[in-house]
Amino acid sequence: IDNQESLWHLRDEHIYLGVSKWDIRTKIWDYMEANNLADFPRPVHHRIPNFKGSHQACHAVRELDVFKRTSEIKVDPDKPLEGVRLVTLQARKTLLVPTPRLRTGLFNKIVPPPGATKEILRICATSQGVKDYSVPIGLDAKVQVDLVVVGSVAVSEKGWRIGKGEGFADMEYAMMMSMGAIREDTPVVTIVHDCQVVDIAEELLDDHDLTVDYILTPTRTIKTGCKRPKPQGIIWHKISYEMLERIPILKNLRYREKQAGQDVILKDEHPGFPNARKPADSDENAKTGNTKLQTESTSAQIRQNLCTHNSSQMPIFCHRCWQGNVPAQLCTHI
């Protein structure tokens, strides 16, 4: 009862005190830690929080018609979504996981080894499995995502979502729209603890914020009926040069959209921005970024075929040698 009363106080404050997104995040993180609702890794602050009952909530995705109809699913790499990744692989659907912090591309496709056991599929669904069993997917790949699953720090029954504050889920969605990998009606699902479902003022949302269509918790399945438009693509005037440098794939997408005649002026280039730069003739930079991205992708594919594990730690098979059926004791990689 005390926990429920605390939670309702939390909800009321969102409505009446006009708090910021950061206030909401902090209250959720503090509440989950104080009431021991969080699971590894802890503390949950500054994370998409893993929570007790996450696998139960994740498995509920199997009952959604939007899941049953899909063949290709994008699931974020967050720990509480591990169960969704496992269910997706068990259902023999294509699983795409974003590259961490979008450093080397957008997607990795998880490819379990032939004849993978339940245990191997479980490993494939973990962060280590994403590293060991993934193949990078380039921008030119024919990807058509049928369902998007994201983590959240807080979400409302209306579908308003708050992430951990770095904007990667919003950016990934915008990139998928830009490259034609999703449609406007592609459903978005989030998996959270019941205490993360709170009231959020719509005034806190910006036009780049991603909303959700379904919320799964350990006890509920909520269809939000959200009508607020999702991002229609990358909003270039909110992208800085610094972000462009940190996320090489953005250079590639910007070059493509510029070639198509779209407005790709960056935040730093707008006249109202202090010390605004001139719109860069960035074709060369974009081409360089494109070449670098392709090189990194090729290198990643090469690394995919090389074992980087100490074979003494792999009693049965080395993960990276599995597809070649190389027993761990015969693996000579370092």
Side-chain angles (χ1 to χ4, degrees), residues 7 33 37 53 116 121 124 139 149 203 239 252 254 259 261 265 269 280 285 317:
L7 180 56
E33 285 291 346
L37 300 174
L121 288 181
C124 287
L139 285 179
V149 183
E203 290 73 20
I239 303 294
N252 183 288
R254 187 185 185 218
Q259 293 298 102
I265 294 178
E269 296 172 340
N285 289 337
F317 286 99

Side-chain angles (χ1 to χ4, degrees), residues 35 77 136 147 216 232 264 308:
N35 290 277
L147 182 66
L216 304 182
Q232 298 301 298
V264 295
T308 56

Side-chain angles (χ1 to χ4, degrees), residues 144-193:
Q144 189 59 61
V145 175
D146 304 308
L147 182 66
V148 174
V149 183
V150 298
S152 302
V153 173
V155 65
S156 78
E157 292 186 10
K158 293 181 178 180
W160 314 153
R161 172 190 173 274
I162 296 177
K164 63 178 180 285
E166 296 182 342
F168 283 107
D170 305 319
M171 179 64 72
E172 289 158 8
Y173 185 92
M175 287 181 174
M176 288 190 289
M177 284 293 291
S178 291
M179 62 187 286
I182 54 175
R183 304 175 304 275
E184 289 185 29
D185 61 349
T186 300
V188 178
V189 177
T190 194
I191 316 285
V192 295
H193 190 275

Side-chain angles (χ1 to χ4, degrees), residues 106-307:
L106 181 54
F107 292 129
N108 286 316
K109 179 181 177 181
I110 311 305
V111 184
T117 63
K118 291 181 179 179
E119 177 60 17
I120 292 299
L121 288 181
R122 187 194 65 76
I123 294 172
C124 287
T126 66
S127 58
Q128 186 61 46
V130 170
K131 295 176 184 176
D132 293 343
Y133 295 105
S134 66
V135 176
I137 301 296
L139 285 179
D140 293 322
K142 301 298 182 183
V143 174
Q144 189 59 61
V145 175
D146 304 308
L147 182 66
V148 174
V149 183
V150 298
S152 302
V153 173
V155 65
S156 78
E157 292 186 10
K158 293 181 178 180
W160 314 153
R161 172 190 173 274
I162 296 177
K164 63 178 180 285
E166 296 182 342
F168 283 107
D170 305 319
M171 179 64 72
E172 289 158 8
Y173 185 92
M175 287 181 174
M176 288 190 289
M177 284 293 291
S178 291
M179 62 187 286
I182 54 175
R183 304 175 304 275
E184 289 185 29
D185 61 349
T186 300
V188 178
V189 177
T190 194
I191 316 285
V192 295
H193 190 275
D194 289 277
C195 76
Q196 293 173 261
V197 182
V198 296
D199 292 305
I200 299 172
E202 187 173 5
E203 290 73 20
L204 291 178
L205 301 187
D206 206 338
D207 52 2
H208 66 269
D209 285 325
L210 179 62
T211 56
V212 303
D213 303 294
Y214 294 88
I215 304 167
L216 304 182
T217 79
T219 66
R220 292 196 291 168
T221 296
I222 302 168
K223 186 174 182 179
T224 67
C226 184
K227 300 300 182 184
R228 183 184 175 92
K230 294 181 174 65
Q232 298 301 298
I234 299 170
I235 305 174
W236 292 107
H237 68 262
K238 293 191 175 183
I239 303 294
S240 65
Y241 277 106
E242 180 186 2
M243 187 178 295
L244 208 65
E245 291 300 319
R246 282 193 288 114
I247 306 177
I249 192 175
L250 276 176
K251 290 184 180 180
N252 183 288
L253 287 170
R254 187 185 185 218
Y255 174 72
R256 293 183 178 210
E257 293 196 11
K258 182 177 181 180
Q259 293 298 102
Q262 298 184 35
D263 181 3
V264 295
I265 294 178
L266 301 179
K267 175 181 178 180
D268 314 61
E269 296 172 340
H270 270 270
F273 189 81
N275 302 318
R277 305 187 189 190
K278 292 182 179 180
D281 185 10
S282 58
D283 288 1
E284 278 306 312
N285 289 337
K287 289 178 182 177
T288 301
N290 188 20
T291 302
K292 181 180 178 183
L293 186 62
Q294 290 173 341
T295 301
E296 289 174 341
S297 179
T298 302
S299 298
Q301 287 177 314
I302 292 172
R303 289 195 301 273
Q304 173 70 17
N305 297 323
L306 297 178
C307 168

